[in-house]
Amino acid sequence: DEPGASVAQHRADPFVPVSMSETPQEMHISIGAAEGANNATVWMMHLRSAVNVAIKAGENAGRTVSYHNVVGDVRAVGVWKGPSLSLTLPRSAMAGLPHDGVAIIVQQGGAGHVIGAFYVARPEFYPSH
């Protein structure tokens, strides 16, 4: 760089507050407002805190390996564009793989930086199957 050349300033990603509450029939997701944000995908992930897998072949054949924080599935449930957003999902729309936690992730452009997240371990209304 030349002496005295200006350095481009990059704006930081916004921090987006995310919360979740539930009833026996629904999950309510609340995402706060933030300035300077692009479209962001709101993802819901079913998680298992631990999964034991019996290895049948290869150098670890015969061993059992424990994996932690395993994502069972990922679903896009909305798009956040900067203003506050509330999403309500019916319980019937949330059936999924066995899980003991749910994460809500707000991700720029669907594949960019994560700008907000919320995690619930063993949510009461959404039990493991």
Side-chain angles (χ1 to χ4, degrees):
D1 289 283
E2 297 176 10
S6 64
V7 176
Q9 294 278 325
H10 297 284
R11 70 173 171 81
D13 287 323
F15 168 76
V16 181
V18 180
S19 63
M20 186 179 81
S21 62
E22 59 268 352
T23 69
Q25 294 81 30
E26 299 172 322
M27 170 193 275
H28 303 279
I29 301 166
S30 295
I31 303 168
E35 293 291 325
N38 295 323
N39 288 350
T41 301
V42 180
W43 301 101
M44 180 177 70
M45 302 177 184
H46 295 108
L47 301 165
R48 292 181 70 183
S49 56
V51 176
N52 295 319
V53 176
I55 307 298
K56 297 181 181 181
E59 63 186 45
N60 290 319
R63 293 185 181 190
T64 299
V65 176
S66 294
Y67 296 98
H68 298 276
N69 300 316
V70 177
V71 176
D73 65 354
V74 177
R75 299 176 188 186
V77 294
V79 175
W80 177 83
K81 296 181 180 185
S84 61
L85 174 67
S86 293
L87 300 169
T88 300
L89 304 175
R91 184 175 181 162
S92 62
M94 293 176 284
L97 300 173
H99 61 280
D100 58 12
V102 173
I104 304 299
I105 308 291
V106 180
Q107 187 175 28
Q108 293 262 37
H113 294 161
V114 171
I115 57 174
F118 190 83
Y119 175 75
V120 176
R122 296 182 174 87
E124 290 296 320
F125 97 109
Y126 199 36
S128 298
H129 308 331

mmCIF file of all heavy atoms in Angstrom, residues 16-54:
data_model
loop_
_atom_site.group_PDB
_atom_site.id
_atom_site.type_symbol
_atom_site.label_atom_id
_atom_site.label_comp_id
_atom_site.label_asym_id
_atom_site.label_seq_id
_atom_site.Cartn_x
_atom_site.Cartn_y
_atom_site.Cartn_z
ATOM 1 N N VAL A 16 -28.485 -9.396 16.181
ATOM 2 C CA VAL A 16 -29.934 -9.469 16.162
ATOM 3 C C VAL A 16 -30.414 -10.294 17.354
ATOM 4 O O VAL A 16 -30.070 -11.473 17.459
ATOM 5 C CB VAL A 16 -30.427 -10.122 14.846
ATOM 6 C CG1 VAL A 16 -31.933 -10.182 14.815
ATOM 7 C CG2 VAL A 16 -29.897 -9.363 13.651
ATOM 8 N N PRO A 17 -31.188 -9.689 18.264
ATOM 9 C CA PRO A 17 -31.705 -10.468 19.395
ATOM 10 C C PRO A 17 -32.774 -11.456 18.928
ATOM 11 O O PRO A 17 -33.651 -11.113 18.136
ATOM 12 C CB PRO A 17 -32.283 -9.413 20.334
ATOM 13 C CG PRO A 17 -32.538 -8.215 19.479
ATOM 14 C CD PRO A 17 -31.572 -8.284 18.330
ATOM 15 N N VAL A 18 -32.679 -12.688 19.403
ATOM 16 C CA VAL A 18 -33.618 -13.747 19.043
ATOM 17 C C VAL A 18 -34.128 -14.371 20.334
ATOM 18 O O VAL A 18 -33.350 -14.626 21.257
ATOM 19 C CB VAL A 18 -32.936 -14.835 18.185
ATOM 20 C CG1 VAL A 18 -33.927 -15.943 17.815
ATOM 21 C CG2 VAL A 18 -32.317 -14.231 16.925
ATOM 22 N N SER A 19 -35.430 -14.608 20.408
ATOM 23 C CA SER A 19 -36.002 -15.318 21.548
ATOM 24 C C SER A 19 -37.086 -16.257 21.053
ATOM 25 O O SER A 19 -37.547 -16.151 19.916
ATOM 26 C CB SER A 19 -36.558 -14.336 22.588
ATOM 27 O OG SER A 19 -37.621 -13.587 22.037
ATOM 28 N N MET A 20 -37.470 -17.166 21.924
ATOM 29 C CA MET A 20 -38.472 -18.156 21.553
ATOM 30 C C MET A 20 -39.300 -18.482 22.779
ATOM 31 O O MET A 20 -38.780 -18.534 23.891
ATOM 32 C CB MET A 20 -37.776 -19.414 21.031
ATOM 33 C CG MET A 20 -38.735 -20.450 20.483
ATOM 34 S SD MET A 20 -37.847 -21.893 19.853
ATOM 35 C CE MET A 20 -37.529 -22.768 21.367
ATOM 36 N N SER A 21 -40.570 -18.684 22.586
ATOM 37 C CA SER A 21 -41.447 -19.174 23.644
ATOM 38 C C SER A 21 -42.358 -20.216 23.024
ATOM 39 O O SER A 21 -42.478 -20.300 21.797
ATOM 40 C CB SER A 21 -42.249 -18.037 24.274
ATOM 41 O OG SER A 21 -43.093 -17.439 23.306
ATOM 42 N N GLU A 22 -42.986 -21.012 23.870
ATOM 43 C CA GLU A 22 -43.833 -22.064 23.329
ATOM 44 C C GLU A 22 -45.088 -22.242 24.160
ATOM 45 O O GLU A 22 -45.144 -21.859 25.322
ATOM 46 C CB GLU A 22 -43.075 -23.386 23.230
ATOM 47 C CG GLU A 22 -42.524 -23.907 24.526
ATOM 48 C CD GLU A 22 -41.110 -23.458 24.807
ATOM 49 O OE1 GLU A 22 -40.470 -22.851 23.923
ATOM 50 O OE2 GLU A 22 -40.656 -23.685 25.921
ATOM 51 N N THR A 23 -46.095 -22.787 23.496
ATOM 52 C CA THR A 23 -47.328 -23.206 24.142
ATOM 53 C C THR A 23 -47.509 -24.668 23.738
ATOM 54 O O THR A 23 -46.757 -25.173 22.902
ATOM 55 C CB THR A 23 -48.531 -22.379 23.651
ATOM 56 O OG1 THR A 23 -48.804 -22.716 22.277
ATOM 57 C CG2 THR A 23 -48.289 -20.878 23.785
ATOM 58 N N PRO A 24 -48.503 -25.342 24.289
ATOM 59 C CA PRO A 24 -48.723 -26.734 23.850
ATOM 60 C C PRO A 24 -49.037 -26.860 22.363
ATOM 61 O O PRO A 24 -48.832 -27.906 21.777
ATOM 62 C CB PRO A 24 -49.908 -27.189 24.703
ATOM 63 C CG PRO A 24 -49.809 -26.354 25.933
ATOM 64 C CD PRO A 24 -49.317 -25.005 25.447
ATOM 65 N N GLN A 25 -49.498 -25.783 21.715
ATOM 66 C CA GLN A 25 -49.872 -25.852 20.299
ATOM 67 C C GLN A 25 -48.874 -25.192 19.353
ATOM 68 O O GLN A 25 -48.857 -25.513 18.165
ATOM 69 C CB GLN A 25 -51.238 -25.198 20.066
ATOM 70 C CG GLN A 25 -52.398 -25.907 20.705
ATOM 71 C CD GLN A 25 -52.528 -25.565 22.183
ATOM 72 O OE1 GLN A 25 -52.177 -24.477 22.618
ATOM 73 N NE2 GLN A 25 -53.035 -26.509 22.965
ATOM 74 N N GLU A 26 -48.050 -24.237 19.836
ATOM 75 C CA GLU A 26 -47.257 -23.426 18.928
ATOM 76 C C GLU A 26 -45.886 -23.064 19.494
ATOM 77 O O GLU A 26 -45.687 -23.070 20.700
ATOM 78 C CB GLU A 26 -47.982 -22.109 18.629
ATOM 79 C CG GLU A 26 -49.330 -22.277 17.975
ATOM 80 C CD GLU A 26 -50.096 -20.965 17.877
ATOM 81 O OE1 GLU A 26 -50.037 -20.141 18.800
ATOM 82 O OE2 GLU A 26 -50.755 -20.772 16.843
ATOM 83 N N MET A 27 -44.993 -22.704 18.568
ATOM 84 C CA MET A 27 -43.706 -22.106 18.915
ATOM 85 C C MET A 27 -43.738 -20.682 18.385
ATOM 86 O O MET A 27 -44.098 -20.444 17.235
ATOM 87 C CB MET A 27 -42.560 -22.869 18.254
ATOM 88 C CG MET A 27 -41.213 -22.167 18.372
ATOM 89 S SD MET A 27 -39.961 -22.877 17.290
ATOM 90 C CE MET A 27 -39.375 -24.197 18.299
ATOM 91 N N HIS A 28 -43.349 -19.711 19.235
ATOM 92 C CA HIS A 28 -43.307 -18.306 18.851
ATOM 93 C C HIS A 28 -41.850 -17.865 18.823
ATOM 94 O O HIS A 28 -41.154 -17.956 19.825
ATOM 95 C CB HIS A 28 -44.099 -17.457 19.837
ATOM 96 C CG HIS A 28 -45.523 -17.889 19.974
ATOM 97 N ND1 HIS A 28 -46.495 -17.530 19.061
ATOM 98 C CD2 HIS A 28 -46.134 -18.674 20.883
ATOM 99 C CE1 HIS A 28 -47.635 -18.067 19.420
ATOM 100 N NE2 HIS A 28 -47.451 -18.768 20.526
ATOM 101 N N ILE A 29 -41.402 -17.371 17.671
ATOM 102 C CA ILE A 29 -40.033 -16.885 17.496
ATOM 103 C C ILE A 29 -40.098 -15.376 17.327
ATOM 104 O O ILE A 29 -40.871 -14.872 16.513
ATOM 105 C CB ILE A 29 -39.379 -17.523 16.251
ATOM 106 C CG1 ILE A 29 -39.347 -19.046 16.379
ATOM 107 C CG2 ILE A 29 -37.979 -16.962 16.022
ATOM 108 C CD1 ILE A 29 -39.027 -19.771 15.084
ATOM 109 N N SER A 30 -39.289 -14.649 18.107
ATOM 110 C CA SER A 30 -39.219 -13.189 18.001
ATOM 111 C C SER A 30 -37.797 -12.794 17.640
ATOM 112 O O SER A 30 -36.843 -13.237 18.279
ATOM 113 C CB SER A 30 -39.600 -12.530 19.328
ATOM 114 O OG SER A 30 -40.952 -12.803 19.620
ATOM 115 N N ILE A 31 -37.673 -11.957 16.611
ATOM 116 C CA ILE A 31 -36.371 -11.466 16.163
ATOM 117 C C ILE A 31 -36.436 -9.950 16.187
ATOM 118 O O ILE A 31 -37.342 -9.354 15.610
ATOM 119 C CB ILE A 31 -36.049 -11.994 14.751
ATOM 120 C CG1 ILE A 31 -36.095 -13.525 14.747
ATOM 121 C CG2 ILE A 31 -34.693 -11.474 14.281
ATOM 122 C CD1 ILE A 31 -36.070 -14.146 13.383
ATOM 123 N N GLY A 32 -35.486 -9.321 16.869
ATOM 124 C CA GLY A 32 -35.480 -7.879 17.016
ATOM 125 C C GLY A 32 -35.047 -7.168 15.751
ATOM 126 O O GLY A 32 -34.588 -7.785 14.788
ATOM 127 N N ALA A 33 -35.177 -5.853 15.761
ATOM 128 C CA ALA A 33 -34.791 -5.016 14.624
ATOM 129 C C ALA A 33 -33.308 -4.684 14.690
ATOM 130 O O ALA A 33 -32.709 -4.671 15.754
ATOM 131 C CB ALA A 33 -35.609 -3.730 14.633
ATOM 132 N N ALA A 34 -32.707 -4.444 13.528
ATOM 133 C CA ALA A 34 -31.311 -4.000 13.454
ATOM 134 C C ALA A 34 -31.123 -3.218 12.165
ATOM 135 O O ALA A 34 -31.749 -3.507 11.147
ATOM 136 C CB ALA A 34 -30.360 -5.188 13.491
ATOM 137 N N GLU A 35 -30.252 -2.218 12.216
ATOM 138 C CA GLU A 35 -29.949 -1.398 11.051
ATOM 139 C C GLU A 35 -28.901 -2.076 10.174
ATOM 140 O O GLU A 35 -28.059 -2.828 10.660
ATOM 141 C CB GLU A 35 -29.398 -0.043 11.504
ATOM 142 C CG GLU A 35 -30.410 0.817 12.230
ATOM 143 C CD GLU A 35 -31.520 1.307 11.317
ATOM 144 O OE1 GLU A 35 -31.249 1.583 10.136
ATOM 145 O OE2 GLU A 35 -32.664 1.397 11.789
ATOM 146 N N GLY A 36 -28.943 -1.787 8.889
ATOM 147 C CA GLY A 36 -27.903 -2.214 7.971
ATOM 148 C C GLY A 36 -27.864 -3.693 7.676
ATOM 149 O O GLY A 36 -26.829 -4.221 7.287
ATOM 150 N N ALA A 37 -28.972 -4.377 7.834
ATOM 151 C CA ALA A 37 -28.979 -5.814 7.593
ATOM 152 C C ALA A 37 -29.530 -6.124 6.212
ATOM 153 O O ALA A 37 -30.370 -5.407 5.688
ATOM 154 C CB ALA A 37 -29.820 -6.512 8.649
ATOM 155 N N ASN A 38 -29.033 -7.175 5.637
ATOM 156 C CA ASN A 38 -29.582 -7.690 4.387
ATOM 157 C C ASN A 38 -30.607 -8.755 4.730
ATOM 158 O O ASN A 38 -30.804 -9.087 5.894
ATOM 159 C CB ASN A 38 -28.460 -8.316 3.537
ATOM 160 C CG ASN A 38 -27.451 -7.284 3.102
ATOM 161 O OD1 ASN A 38 -27.793 -6.149 2.802
ATOM 162 N ND2 ASN A 38 -26.187 -7.673 3.086
ATOM 163 N N ASN A 39 -31.229 -9.314 3.698
ATOM 164 C CA ASN A 39 -32.139 -10.423 3.950
ATOM 165 C C ASN A 39 -31.378 -11.537 4.644
ATOM 166 O O ASN A 39 -30.270 -11.886 4.247
ATOM 167 C CB ASN A 39 -32.721 -10.957 2.639
ATOM 168 C CG ASN A 39 -33.725 -10.001 2.026
ATOM 169 O OD1 ASN A 39 -34.133 -9.024 2.645
ATOM 170 N ND2 ASN A 39 -34.119 -10.287 0.805
ATOM 171 N N ALA A 40 -31.975 -12.089 5.681
ATOM 172 C CA ALA A 40 -31.353 -13.182 6.422
ATOM 173 C C ALA A 40 -32.367 -14.311 6.543
ATOM 174 O O ALA A 40 -33.558 -14.071 6.737
ATOM 175 C CB ALA A 40 -30.909 -12.717 7.802
ATOM 176 N N THR A 41 -31.895 -15.526 6.411
ATOM 177 C CA THR A 41 -32.755 -16.695 6.559
ATOM 178 C C THR A 41 -32.858 -17.049 8.030
ATOM 179 O O THR A 41 -31.864 -17.028 8.760
ATOM 180 C CB THR A 41 -32.188 -17.883 5.769
ATOM 181 O OG1 THR A 41 -32.089 -17.509 4.392
ATOM 182 C CG2 THR A 41 -33.076 -19.112 5.891
ATOM 183 N N VAL A 42 -34.065 -17.386 8.465
ATOM 184 C CA VAL A 42 -34.297 -17.871 9.820
ATOM 185 C C VAL A 42 -34.388 -19.394 9.723
ATOM 186 O O VAL A 42 -35.260 -19.929 9.047
ATOM 187 C CB VAL A 42 -35.592 -17.294 10.423
ATOM 188 C CG1 VAL A 42 -35.807 -17.810 11.839
ATOM 189 C CG2 VAL A 42 -35.564 -15.763 10.382
ATOM 190 N N TRP A 43 -33.429 -20.069 10.356
ATOM 191 C CA TRP A 43 -33.354 -21.527 10.324
ATOM 192 C C TRP A 43 -33.803 -22.115 11.658
ATOM 193 O O TRP A 43 -33.515 -21.558 12.710
ATOM 194 C CB TRP A 43 -31.921 -21.995 10.094
ATOM 195 C CG TRP A 43 -31.267 -21.535 8.839
ATOM 196 C CD1 TRP A 43 -30.367 -20.518 8.708
ATOM 197 C CD2 TRP A 43 -31.420 -22.086 7.527
ATOM 198 N NE1 TRP A 43 -29.961 -20.396 7.397
ATOM 199 C CE2 TRP A 43 -30.596 -21.341 6.652
ATOM 200 C CE3 TRP A 43 -32.191 -23.127 7.008
ATOM 201 C CZ2 TRP A 43 -30.515 -21.620 5.291
ATOM 202 C CZ3 TRP A 43 -32.108 -23.392 5.654
ATOM 203 C CH2 TRP A 43 -31.275 -22.654 4.803
ATOM 204 N N MET A 44 -34.479 -23.249 11.612
ATOM 205 C CA MET A 44 -34.772 -24.037 12.804
ATOM 206 C C MET A 44 -34.032 -25.362 12.661
ATOM 207 O O MET A 44 -34.101 -26.003 11.612
ATOM 208 C CB MET A 44 -36.263 -24.304 12.966
ATOM 209 C CG MET A 44 -36.573 -25.122 14.217
ATOM 210 S SD MET A 44 -38.340 -25.388 14.496
ATOM 211 C CE MET A 44 -38.722 -26.499 13.153
ATOM 212 N N MET A 45 -33.307 -25.747 13.705
ATOM 213 C CA MET A 45 -32.532 -26.985 13.686
ATOM 214 C C MET A 45 -32.928 -27.862 14.867
ATOM 215 O O MET A 45 -33.014 -27.379 15.995
ATOM 216 C CB MET A 45 -31.042 -26.683 13.783
ATOM 217 C CG MET A 45 -30.533 -25.801 12.691
ATOM 218 S SD MET A 45 -28.789 -25.409 12.914
ATOM 219 C CE MET A 45 -28.558 -24.279 11.555
ATOM 220 N N HIS A 46 -33.148 -29.141 14.595
ATOM 221 C CA HIS A 46 -33.331 -30.120 15.665
ATOM 222 C C HIS A 46 -31.948 -30.638 16.044
ATOM 223 O O HIS A 46 -31.166 -30.997 15.167
ATOM 224 C CB HIS A 46 -34.178 -31.303 15.187
ATOM 225 C CG HIS A 46 -35.581 -30.923 14.843
ATOM 226 N ND1 HIS A 46 -36.040 -30.876 13.555
ATOM 227 C CD2 HIS A 46 -36.622 -30.573 15.624
ATOM 228 C CE1 HIS A 46 -37.307 -30.525 13.550
ATOM 229 N NE2 HIS A 46 -37.683 -30.325 14.795
ATOM 230 N N LEU A 47 -31.656 -30.668 17.331
ATOM 231 C CA LEU A 47 -30.337 -31.092 17.804
ATOM 232 C C LEU A 47 -30.455 -32.249 18.791
ATOM 233 O O LEU A 47 -31.419 -32.340 19.543
ATOM 234 C CB LEU A 47 -29.631 -29.930 18.512
ATOM 235 C CG LEU A 47 -29.405 -28.692 17.668
ATOM 236 C CD1 LEU A 47 -29.054 -27.513 18.551
ATOM 237 C CD2 LEU A 47 -28.300 -28.947 16.668
ATOM 238 N N ARG A 48 -29.441 -33.080 18.776
ATOM 239 C CA ARG A 48 -29.293 -34.120 19.801
ATOM 240 C C ARG A 48 -27.997 -33.840 20.532
ATOM 241 O O ARG A 48 -26.949 -33.657 19.912
ATOM 242 C CB ARG A 48 -29.279 -35.508 19.175
ATOM 243 C CG ARG A 48 -30.646 -35.858 18.580
ATOM 244 C CD ARG A 48 -30.699 -37.215 17.980
ATOM 245 N NE ARG A 48 -30.645 -38.226 19.029
ATOM 246 C CZ ARG A 48 -30.610 -39.523 18.773
ATOM 247 N NH1 ARG A 48 -30.607 -39.961 17.529
ATOM 248 N NH2 ARG A 48 -30.569 -40.394 19.753
ATOM 249 N N SER A 49 -28.057 -33.791 21.851
ATOM 250 C CA SER A 49 -26.872 -33.445 22.636
ATOM 251 C C SER A 49 -25.783 -34.491 22.520
ATOM 252 O O SER A 49 -24.600 -34.167 22.579
ATOM 253 C CB SER A 49 -27.241 -33.207 24.094
ATOM 254 O OG SER A 49 -27.891 -34.341 24.617
ATOM 255 N N ALA A 50 -26.158 -35.755 22.336
ATOM 256 C CA ALA A 50 -25.155 -36.813 22.172
ATOM 257 C C ALA A 50 -25.753 -37.973 21.387
ATOM 258 O O ALA A 50 -26.913 -38.327 21.583
ATOM 259 C CB ALA A 50 -24.666 -37.300 23.522
ATOM 260 N N VAL A 51 -24.958 -38.542 20.492
ATOM 261 C CA VAL A 51 -25.363 -39.706 19.703
ATOM 262 C C VAL A 51 -24.209 -40.690 19.723
ATOM 263 O O VAL A 51 -23.069 -40.337 19.420
ATOM 264 C CB VAL A 51 -25.678 -39.315 18.236
ATOM 265 C CG1 VAL A 51 -26.002 -40.540 17.401
ATOM 266 C CG2 VAL A 51 -26.808 -38.301 18.178
ATOM 267 N N ASN A 52 -24.503 -41.941 20.123
ATOM 268 C CA ASN A 52 -23.485 -43.001 20.108
ATOM 269 C C ASN A 52 -23.638 -43.805 18.830
ATOM 270 O O ASN A 52 -24.737 -44.253 18.504
ATOM 271 C CB ASN A 52 -23.630 -43.900 21.329
ATOM 272 C CG ASN A 52 -23.350 -43.155 22.610
ATOM 273 O OD1 ASN A 52 -22.428 -42.364 22.678
ATOM 274 N ND2 ASN A 52 -24.155 -43.391 23.630
ATOM 275 N N VAL A 53 -22.524 -43.987 18.110
ATOM 276 C CA VAL A 53 -22.548 -44.708 16.838
ATOM 277 C C VAL A 53 -21.565 -45.860 16.903
ATOM 278 O O VAL A 53 -20.385 -45.668 17.216
ATOM 279 C CB VAL A 53 -22.170 -43.763 15.668
ATOM 280 C CG1 VAL A 53 -22.102 -44.518 14.356
ATOM 281 C CG2 VAL A 53 -23.153 -42.605 15.583
ATOM 282 N N ALA A 54 -22.076 -47.065 16.621
ATOM 283 C CA ALA A 54 -21.212 -48.240 16.554
ATOM 284 C C ALA A 54 -20.530 -48.253 15.193
ATOM 285 O O ALA A 54 -21.195 -48.253 14.156
ATOM 286 C CB ALA A 54 -22.021 -49.510 16.762
#
